[in-house]
Amino acid sequence: MAPRLNLFDWWARDAAKGTPVIVKMENPDFSIVEIDGPDAAFKPVEKGRLKNAKQVRWILMLKANRAVGCVAWLATILWALLGTIKRRLILREGVALASEKLGRGKLMLRIIKALLVISLAILGFELVAYFKGWHYFENPNLYIPHTSDLQGFFHLVYVAWLELRGQYIAPFVQSLSTFCVVLFIIQSLDRLILCLGCLYIKLKKIKPEVNGDPFQQDEKEGAQCNYPMVLVQIPMCNEREVYELSISAVCQLDWPKERLLIQVLDDSNDEGIQWLIKAEVSKWSQKGINIIYRHRLVRTGYKAGNLKSAMSCDYVKDYEFVAIFDADFQPTPDFLKQTVPHFKDNPDLGLVQARWAFVNKDENLLTRLQNINLCFHFEVEQQVNGVFLNFFGFNGTAGVWRIKALEDSGGWLERTTVEDMDIAVRAHLNGWKFIFLNDVKVLCEVPESFEAYRKQQHRWHSGPMQLFRLCLPAVIKSKISIWKKANLIFLFFLLRKLILPFYSFTLFCIVLPLMMFIPEAELPMWVLCYVPALMTFLNILPAPKSIPFLAPYLLFENTMSVTKFNAMISGLFQLGSSYEWIVTKKAGRSSESDLLTAADRDMKALIQPQISRGASENDLSDLGLLKEQKGQTLKPVKKINKIYRKELVLAFLLLTAAVRSLLSAHGLHFYFLLFQGISFVLVGLDLIGEQMS
């Protein structure tokens, strides 16, 4: 539209005096629109009438600029990814390879490498066959000519591969997949039954209850005799970050002091940490708490040897119950009053187990995924087995044992790295019952780094298989009912400790990628999608806030199946790494209430310092030295991310299978393997940092 010049309004204004200027426009570049009515000017104008050749040229240039920018952005990301792979894999800048300490531990890595090489070779033949037009051979209805009728070396090799695949490899892979599917169905039914049992418990509101007031006091003197004698043990080993939290929480338990004894069982080999723990024990001892520091000179048997040594003390015979807390556990003051009363009028009860709660469950992605698994373990597995079977695996901490049950079962044994499960199985064989309290929670930590989590999972999955080999004869010869023997052998050990890691690794990490190269073998859709999706949804239900992490959880569990399967094999066949105990690294995190309490306590200590009058100069100097050691800030050490070779090689195996699926009609397989491969790459290359934040 032409510009509007209101000359009358301009002429009527009181303008400043001056020389008028007249502007002539030669060849004006604007269009004139005829107005037929008062509303015609506001009607939309045809797009074609507003565009000329110059405008079209500018629009095309703008779109081309955007397209080039998008391509440049993708190229930059690809270049950065390739540069990261080059730095980490080839130059190894800022990374270190995860150590494989023993030669036998590299067996799984070699197998996966062999599968990767075979997959790449097969993929090469498939690509050549696809682009040469040989893919019609996959149609079983077409006639496949003899190799003598074909021309060319690749033709001959490809047809030979088809014959080998169809006659020998495909039947074996199909049989293996069928076997894994059967195991998968059995394990899924077990999970479904556990979930239905948990739902029944919720609907019926079933939970262990205590009749009456077990601590009802009489008017007579010495009414505190209603409180039984309780021994509390805190085993630890080089726990610099968390020793103070656990000792402080245990010393604040609401229980008569004369009927409570605390043992700090320190297996540290660092003298500095030993002095710090001694100082902490001395501080609480001066406040009137019955607390003892114990350190073994001969550190054998790991945690089991530490507990066994502590139970051999003469004064232990005066106590009826023993509560065990690991170094990172922080029980609430009323813990003993919520657990010990269940033993009253229940002489067959040997163990009361509390639930774990995690102070760092929202720290990063890894802790959130661990919280999903552990919530299902406590909410469903432990609770259902405790209500219906009165048996479950002792978690090694946050539980109260009847000392008589420990003694009748043979005490702590050093034969495995899962001494908690070992003592629970032997107590069950002797007829003792267990109770799980889902409402009683004890704060603790979960590993925040993948390295610590992988080592923990290796111990948790290799120990049960080693224990199964050792206790199977005792289970068969025991006097418990056949139903309990079957539950212990087939459900507790075989199904949940052996079959689960076996089929999850074999089916989803070996068989499924192989089927991308062997189309003659097939898996039904309900095995690939429907049942895994249902089982994953059931696993995540006890932690409803973690539902947004459903997809990462599924992929990460497939990633961890490599470690779990490797650990299961090492424990079952008693390989070198099956008896390896590595203390899980802690961060020393506390809840907000604990931090406020500690700050208030430190402030009072600063305002009202209490110094013992009888302290000698040597004691004061030692105390000053300890404070200096405690106050020293360690120099920040730059973290070196690690490359986990098994996960990385399996990542490329799955990505190779995903590329192969592009050549077939199994589009769903492609997306499944692609996302699975991406998850492996994230773990293997550690592109988002070892903390996975």
Side-chain angles (χ1 to χ4, degrees), residues 159-396:
V159 173
W161 156 246
L162 289 179
E163 294 178 356
L164 176 66
R165 187 179 72 184
Q167 296 181 9
Y168 301 101
I169 300 179
F172 172 74
V173 174
Q174 187 65 52
S175 302
L176 181 61
S177 64
T178 303
F179 178 68
C180 292
V181 167
V182 172
L183 298 180
F184 178 48
I185 294 174
I186 296 174
Q187 197 273 336
S188 300
L189 290 176
D190 176 61
R191 286 290 176 98
L192 183 60
I193 293 173
L194 288 175
C195 291
L196 293 177
C198 182
L199 179 62
Y200 179 81
I201 292 173
K202 294 293 183 182
L203 294 177
K204 296 295 183 179
K205 297 180 180 180
I206 302 174
K207 64 179 182 179
E209 295 182 355
V210 179
N211 297 325
D213 185 6
F215 306 114
Q216 186 176 4
Q217 298 183 359
D218 301 330
E219 296 181 358
K220 299 180 182 180
E221 228 176 293
Q224 289 186 349
C225 293
N226 291 330
Y227 290 83
M229 300 288 287
V230 178
L231 176 67
V232 180
Q233 295 177 335
I234 312 176
M236 58 180 62
C237 180
N238 296 326
E239 307 281 2
R240 180 188 293 271
E241 297 82 8
V242 294
Y243 76 93
E244 191 174 1
L245 296 175
S246 59
I247 294 176
S248 174
V250 170
C251 289
Q252 298 180 51
L253 289 173
D254 185 10
W255 202 258
K257 295 181 180 180
E258 61 275 7
R259 309 193 71 79
L260 179 69
L261 176 63
I262 301 172
Q263 286 181 322
V264 179
L265 311 177
D266 183 23
D267 256 5
S268 303
N269 55 7
D270 188 337
E271 293 185 0
I273 299 177
Q274 294 178 22
W275 279 103
L276 292 175
I277 298 175
K278 285 181 181 179
E280 185 70 17
V281 171
S282 177
K283 182 184 73 173
W284 286 101
S285 180
Q286 292 177 6
K287 294 181 180 181
I289 303 297
N290 292 330
I291 184 170
I292 298 175
Y293 174 84
R294 281 182 54 86
H295 178 74
R296 294 191 301 161
L297 297 178
V298 181
R299 299 168 57 250
T300 59
Y302 302 116
K303 182 180 176 181
N306 198 0
L307 294 173
K308 181 179 180 180
S309 175
M311 294 297 294
S312 63
C313 297
D314 295 335
Y315 53 80
V316 173
K317 62 183 180 182
D318 299 329
Y319 293 85
E320 188 176 357
F321 305 104
V322 55
I324 303 173
F325 299 100
D326 282 349
D328 60 316
F329 279 71
Q330 307 166 44
T332 56
D334 61 344
F335 175 82
L336 293 179
K337 289 189 174 180
Q338 291 182 308
T339 55
V340 175
H342 290 275
F343 290 97
K344 187 178 181 181
D345 300 329
N346 197 353
D348 295 332
L349 182 61
L351 169 67
V352 175
Q353 174 71 61
R355 180 174 175 171
W356 298 359
F358 311 105
V359 295
N360 61 338
K361 62 181 179 180
D362 297 323
E363 183 65 24
N364 52 45
L365 177 61
L366 178 61
T367 58
R368 291 186 176 98
L369 299 180
Q370 291 179 74
N371 181 59
I372 296 174
N373 277 337
L374 292 172
C375 283
F376 182 85
H377 171 70
F378 289 110
E379 185 84 17
V380 180
E381 291 181 348
Q382 298 285 79
Q383 186 173 209
V384 171
N385 290 328
V387 170
F388 294 103
L389 301 177
N390 295 121
F391 167 72
F392 47 83
F394 175 47
N395 299 122

Side-chain angles (χ1 to χ4, degrees), residues 353-546:
Q353 174 71 61
R355 180 174 175 171
W356 298 359
F358 311 105
V359 295
N360 61 338
K361 62 181 179 180
D362 297 323
E363 183 65 24
N364 52 45
L365 177 61
L366 178 61
T367 58
R368 291 186 176 98
L369 299 180
Q370 291 179 74
N371 181 59
I372 296 174
N373 277 337
L374 292 172
C375 283
F376 182 85
H377 171 70
F378 289 110
E379 185 84 17
V380 180
E381 291 181 348
Q382 298 285 79
Q383 186 173 209
V384 171
N385 290 328
V387 170
F388 294 103
L389 301 177
N390 295 121
F391 167 72
F392 47 83
F394 175 47
N395 299 122
T397 178
V400 181
W401 277 94
R402 190 189 296 271
I403 294 181
K404 184 181 179 182
L406 292 177
E407 294 174 349
D408 291 348
S409 305
W412 300 103
L413 298 181
E414 307 168 7
R415 55 183 182 174
T416 66
T417 56
V418 285
E419 73 292 329
D420 45 7
M421 186 181 295
D422 188 2
I423 189 65
V425 170
R426 287 184 281 117
H428 179 61
L429 296 180
N430 288 325
W432 293 97
K433 297 180 180 179
F434 303 162
I435 284 179
F436 178 76
L437 302 179
N438 193 51
D439 298 332
V440 182
K441 300 179 181 180
V442 181
L443 292 177
C444 63
E445 292 185 19
V446 289
E448 296 182 6
S449 67
F450 180 72
E451 180 69 18
Y453 176 66
R454 194 179 71 158
K455 291 177 180 178
Q456 183 194 67
Q457 291 299 306
H458 186 277
R459 175 165 53 88
W460 285 4
H461 286 81
S462 64
M465 287 296 95
Q466 190 177 12
L467 177 62
F468 176 67
R469 295 175 64 256
L470 296 174
C471 70
L472 181 60
V475 173
I476 297 176
K477 296 177 183 179
S478 63
K479 298 180 181 180
I480 59 176
S481 62
I482 298 179
W483 159 247
K484 290 183 178 180
K485 290 182 181 180
N487 171 70
L488 196 59
I489 295 175
F490 295 106
L491 292 181
F492 185 77
F493 278 113
L494 292 180
L495 183 60
R496 297 166 189 167
K497 302 298 187 298
L498 188 148
I499 292 178
L500 178 59
F502 171 78
Y503 91 78
S504 60
F505 173 75
T506 306
L507 182 61
F508 294 106
C509 297
I510 299 297
V511 174
L512 185 58
L514 285 178
M515 285 189 172
M516 296 299 98
F517 305 99
I518 307 173
E520 292 86 355
E522 294 183 355
L523 279 175
M525 189 64 64
W526 57 270
V527 174
L528 291 175
C529 293
Y530 304 141
V531 177
L534 176 61
M535 292 298 105
T536 305
F537 183 73
L538 292 178
N539 286 354
I540 211 170
L541 274 183
K545 294 183 179 179
S546 301

Side-chain angles (χ1 to χ4, degrees), residues 125-149:
F125 283 116
E126 293 284 344
L127 289 174
V128 172
Y130 182 81
F131 290 110
K132 290 288 185 178
W134 304 340
H135 53 280
Y136 62 83
F137 287 120
E138 295 182 358
N139 189 345
N141 297 324
L142 294 178
Y143 169 72
I144 300 178
H146 297 289
T147 55
S148 58
D149 300 335

